Amino acid sequence: ALVSTNEEDLNLAAIEQDESVASSVGIHVIKYKVIMFCVGSFFAGLAGSLQAHYMRVLNPDSFGLFPSIYILIYTVVGGRKRFAGPIIGAVVLTIIPEVFRPLKAYNPLVLVGVLFFVLYFMREGLVDLPGKVMGCLKGFKAERTYDV
């Protein structure tokens, strides 16, 4: 893991861990929350403008319950604590329905199955899968070494 020495990064990490403790050591929690809200709103507006340009016509039917749920599932499956997590979740969960195209009627069940699998076995999402695999391989390698 990378260790950050940037003051803002450390302040945000402290707020993520415990807001009351961060506030008690002099970090302006509300200021950082407002800044992060503005940054998130900027990217949401940028994504909305790109989608509007792509779709050419926007209407309320374009934004229903299921697209919102799918975006939440992409975020949870990929991993919500890292930037690449939702991207990985979106890629994986976009490929899976294409692989199971003959079973199109069961697409929501497959997505829920993947979601439950990730929530049960990989708490941090698919973004931590390479680290877990490397940890298992290192443990397996250590078990196979023989003392002479």
Side-chain angles (χ1 to χ4, degrees):
L2 297 174
V3 178
S4 176
T5 58
N6 188 1
E7 184 178 352
E8 284 78 21
D9 291 344
L10 294 175
N11 289 343
L12 289 172
I15 292 170
E16 179 185 13
Q17 292 294 322
D18 192 351
E19 290 180 26
S20 61
V21 173
S23 178
S24 69
V25 295
I27 297 172
H28 299 287
V29 175
I30 295 174
K31 177 180 93 169
Y32 281 101
K33 282 187 166 187
V34 168
I35 290 171
M36 289 299 106
F37 179 78
C38 291
V39 169
S41 298
F42 168 76
F43 284 112
L46 181 66
S49 67
L50 292 174
Q51 184 176 11
H53 180 72
Y54 176 74
M55 293 178 67
R56 296 185 188 214
V57 175
L58 294 178
N59 57 17
D61 297 333
S62 303
F63 308 100
L65 178 66
F66 287 112
S68 300
I69 291 174
Y70 284 156
I71 291 171
L72 182 64
I73 291 174
Y74 295 161
T75 303
V76 171
V77 167
R80 65 178 187 84
K81 291 194 174 189
R82 295 203 187 154
F83 182 76
I87 298 169
I88 291 171
V91 168
V92 168
L93 291 178
T94 303
I95 291 173
I96 287 176
E98 294 301 319
V99 171
F100 293 109
R101 186 176 288 250
L103 304 172
K104 186 173 176 80
Y106 300 107
N107 187 18
L109 293 176
V110 171
L111 290 179
V112 169
V114 170
L115 175 66
F116 284 149
F117 178 80
V118 167
L119 286 176
Y120 188 72
F121 292 109
M122 295 179 279
R123 292 272 188 196
E124 300 298 319
L126 291 176
V127 77
D128 280 346
L129 185 62
K132 287 189 181 233
V133 169
M134 293 304 291
C136 289
L137 290 177
K138 286 180 183 177
F140 180 71
K141 193 176 193 182
E143 288 176 5
R144 294 192 51 180
T145 59
Y146 300 103
D147 293 332
V148 178

